[in-house]
Amino acid sequence: TTENFPSFAVVQELTGAWQVAFDPKWGGPEQVTFDKLEDWATRREDGIRYYSGTATYRQSFQVKAPLPEARQVFLDLGLVKNIARVRLNGNDLGVAWTAPWRVDISRALKPGVNALEIDVANLWPNRLTGDQSLPPGQRLTSTTWNPFKKDSPLLESGLLGPVTLQTAEPLPAK
């Protein structure tokens, strides 16, 4: 049979802590450590739970196993709510805006330590919901119509993962 798309093999999962920077102008903490990837809406801090905007995840990693030379290497983000821009070692590798949440990192990956940055933006409803618990003068948002109440369910947000390094199997010759 002929395949149109390569198959992918996971070679490493990026586990451990992530440094996450939120924009304080939108109620988030300037810097926080996530021991593991998790949904912003489940965090105890109101500044994260009700945050809407972009946050930057940072982690350094070293490739643990030798990678096959002739194969492309991809960073698979697992699940993202809702859009992500990936930078590796200062190289902008583009935006992942739908599944599969995967970008080619072949040209930016290097031996030794690699510096990964992922900007993740979510949707506006969590901030609108959080603002309903604040007095009008302290709210960060304003809109002509807000269907959200202070007890409206929050939307999943952030980088949910798992984040993995994957190699692409070459396509069969046609």
Side-chain angles (χ1 to χ4, degrees):
T1 68
T2 304
E3 293 185 26
N4 291 323
F5 302 100
S7 59
F8 294 88
V10 173
V11 294
Q12 183 175 334
E13 183 173 348
L14 302 186
T15 57
W18 292 81
Q19 296 304 312
V20 186
F22 294 85
D23 186 344
K25 290 185 295 192
W26 289 106
E30 192 168 333
Q31 185 76 27
V32 66
T33 300
F34 282 17
D35 293 329
K36 61 182 176 33
L37 295 175
E38 59 187 304
D39 178 3
W40 300 348
T42 63
R43 296 282 298 199
R44 71 183 190 288
E45 307 97 325
D46 285 350
I48 298 174
R49 184 173 50 239
Y50 297 124
Y51 186 82
S52 290
T54 302
T56 301
Y57 289 74
R58 291 181 178 90
Q59 187 185 77
S60 294
F61 68 92
Q62 193 159 0
V63 179
K64 294 180 182 171
L67 298 172
E69 281 191 33
R71 302 228 177 111
Q72 287 178 290
V73 181
F74 291 82
L75 182 74
D76 188 297
L77 302 176
L79 180 61
V80 175
K81 292 296 183 169
N82 290 85
I83 190 168
R85 174 175 292 281
V86 176
R87 289 180 305 282
L88 182 62
N89 299 319
N91 297 284
D92 185 341
L93 300 177
V95 173
W97 58 274
T98 188
W101 307 91
R102 186 183 302 132
V103 296
D104 185 343
I105 63 170
S106 303
R107 68 179 172 87
L109 190 63
K110 64 180 187 177
V113 177
N114 289 269
L116 177 62
E117 293 184 317
I118 305 168
D119 296 330
V120 175
N122 69 338
L123 300 175
W124 200 25
N126 291 358
R127 180 73 265 157
L128 291 171
T129 298
D131 277 359
Q132 296 308 300
S133 296
L134 299 173
Q138 293 179 15
R139 294 178 183 174
L140 300 177
T141 58
S142 64
T143 181
T144 56
W145 182 69
N146 182 355
F148 302 99
K149 308 295 177 222
K150 65 181 178 181
D151 59 350
S152 291
L154 298 176
L155 301 179
E156 274 187 311
S157 296
L159 177 60
L160 303 176
V163 177
T164 57
L165 299 181
Q166 299 181 357
T167 54
E169 301 295 327
L171 289 173
K174 293 187 180 195

